[in-house]
Amino acid sequence: MTKHPVFKPDPKLDLVLERTLDVPRELVWTAWTTPSHIPHWFVPKPWTIIDCEIDLRPGGIFRTVMRSPEGQEFPNVGCFLEIVPNERLIWTDTLLPGYRPAEKPFFTAILTLEPQGSGTRYTAIALHRDAETRKKHEEMGFQEGWGTVVNQMVEYIKSKMS
Amino acid sequence: MTKHPVFKPDPKLDLVLERTLDVPRELVWTAWTTPSHIPHWFVPKPWTIIDCEIDLRPGGIFRTVMRSPEGQEFPNVGCFLEIVPNERLIWTDTLLPGYRPAEKPFFTAILTLEPQGSGTRYTAIALHRDAETRKKHEEMGFQEGWGTVVNQMVEYIKSKMS
């Protein structure tokens, strides 16, 4: 596409996590889009992922089930919107798979991977409908949670995928 | 794509309008995706469209402003999700352009065009989050409204575009 990207984070509404990772973006992409890799890094330990379903196409399902250390389960269902291998992954919980409007819309996630030397410039953006939802997401621990799982992902890539 | 389409209408949640049109689908596609054509058919007369903006790519804007016979204006803003020229157009008001979750999500629209002889099999589907929203859309006059504008579109294509 020659035009500018259609998404534009707004500091009043959105949350952004940026990191430089010393692993190649192709491995980051694979870690993010493969159901068998996800459980190894996707939630801060000692939480676990006990199920993951990925249909990697626009409208396809992105489903995970988290389990707390106490054994409570939290399913998350989202819908993929854009898939540009090794570059950009966009999904939202505002829609269910197949584009049906969801009952409890919360955010859209945009993951961008750019090459930086032999590593990766990693940008995760969460788009919200209003400042209140942004604040709620921040208080739920967006920075800490997404930051922790990036570290877990890099460690996993280095020890198991490289 | 070789897999089945990701969307699946559910009679309890969704609304479907099907028609066979005696105009070629390439012209239907052009009428639906060109801002200068939209005002000629997109709302039941004597309502009018006084503005239209189309950025035909995933995440792009689909904006129209309707004006009632009494002069009241009703803006509608949606986000394109899938664009397969002459075949399939999907957009939603659940997301704003650039994939930001919208404040008042209502429905996702799926327009499918299939060749039928020299004409077009035209299917418009509205996906909703629950039966209540479906009912509301039905009571707003989905069948009548979408049916009327299809007739207006065919008339416009025959008189001005053919």
Side-chain angles (χ1 to χ4, degrees), chain A residues 47-73:
Chain A
W47 286 62
T48 54
I49 292 287
I50 57 166
D51 200 6
C52 176
E53 189 179 354
I54 288 176
D55 181 3
L56 202 59
R57 54 177 170 159
I61 193 169
F62 183 24
R63 185 176 68 85
T64 54
V65 182
M66 299 189 296
R67 181 187 275 161
S68 76
E70 294 75 31
Q72 202 178 348
E73 294 179 8

Side-chain angles (χ1 to χ4, degrees), chain A residues 40-45 148-156:
Chain A
H40 295 279
W41 64 270
F42 196 70
V43 282
K45 294 169 185 170
T148 297
V149 304
V150 171
N151 292 342
Q152 291 180 173
M153 180 187 69
V154 169
E155 199 180 322
Y156 174 71

Side-chain angles (χ1 to χ4, degrees), chain A residues 133-148:
Chain A
T133 311
R134 177 199 184 281
K135 190 169 172 237
K136 186 180 168 193
H137 205 176
E138 195 168 41
E139 288 170 357
M140 284 165 65
F142 172 84
Q143 290 293 344
E144 205 177 290
W146 285 61
T148 297

Side-chain angles (χ1 to χ4, degrees), chain A residues 99-156:
Chain A
Y99 305 120
R100 180 180 305 287
E103 297 231 16
K104 294 183 181 173
F106 185 50
F107 79 118
T108 295
I110 297 173
L111 181 71
T112 307
L113 308 175
E114 294 160 285
Q116 189 159 72
S118 60
T120 304
R121 186 69 187 162
Y122 179 97
T123 309
I125 303 172
L127 301 179
H128 308 96
R129 66 178 172 279
D130 53 27
E132 193 184 338
T133 311
R134 177 199 184 281
K135 190 169 172 237
K136 186 180 168 193
H137 205 176
E138 195 168 41
E139 288 170 357
M140 284 165 65
F142 172 84
Q143 290 293 344
E144 205 177 290
W146 285 61
T148 297
V149 304
V150 171
N151 292 342
Q152 291 180 173
M153 180 187 69
V154 169
E155 199 180 322
Y156 174 71

Side-chain angles (χ1 to χ4, degrees), chain B residues 1-130:
Chain B
M1 267 185 251
T2 53
K3 295 198 234 180
H4 59 87
V6 288
F7 54 90
K8 208 180 345 181
D10 176 338
K12 289 184 196 139
L13 300 177
D14 305 321
L15 294 167
V16 179
L17 179 101
E18 290 186 280
R19 291 289 185 87
T20 300
L21 312 179
D22 61 349
V23 288
R25 65 176 178 156
E26 290 77 9
L27 293 181
V28 175
W29 179 264
T30 302
W32 254 100
T33 56
T34 311
S36 62
H37 290 320
I38 292 279
H40 295 279
W41 64 270
F42 196 70
V43 282
K45 294 169 185 169
W47 285 63
T48 54
I49 293 287
I50 57 165
D51 200 5
C52 176
E53 189 179 355
I54 288 176
D55 181 4
L56 203 59
R57 54 178 169 158
I61 193 168
F62 183 24
R63 185 176 68 86
T64 55
V65 181
M66 301 190 294
R67 182 187 275 161
S68 75
E70 294 76 29
Q72 204 179 346
E73 294 178 9
F74 299 87
N76 290 289
V77 178
C79 175
F80 287 116
L81 297 172
E82 277 194 33
I83 293 132
V84 185
N86 305 319
E87 284 183 30
R88 189 195 302 162
L89 189 64
I90 305 182
W91 75 100
T92 189
D93 67 9
T94 301
L95 296 168
L96 298 179
Y99 304 120
R100 180 181 304 287
E103 296 231 16
K104 294 183 180 173
F106 185 49
F107 79 119
T108 295
I110 298 172
L111 181 71
T112 307
L113 308 176
E114 294 160 287
Q116 189 158 73
S118 61
T120 303
R121 186 69 187 161
Y122 179 98
T123 308
I125 302 173
L127 301 179
H128 308 95
R129 67 178 172 279
D130 53 26

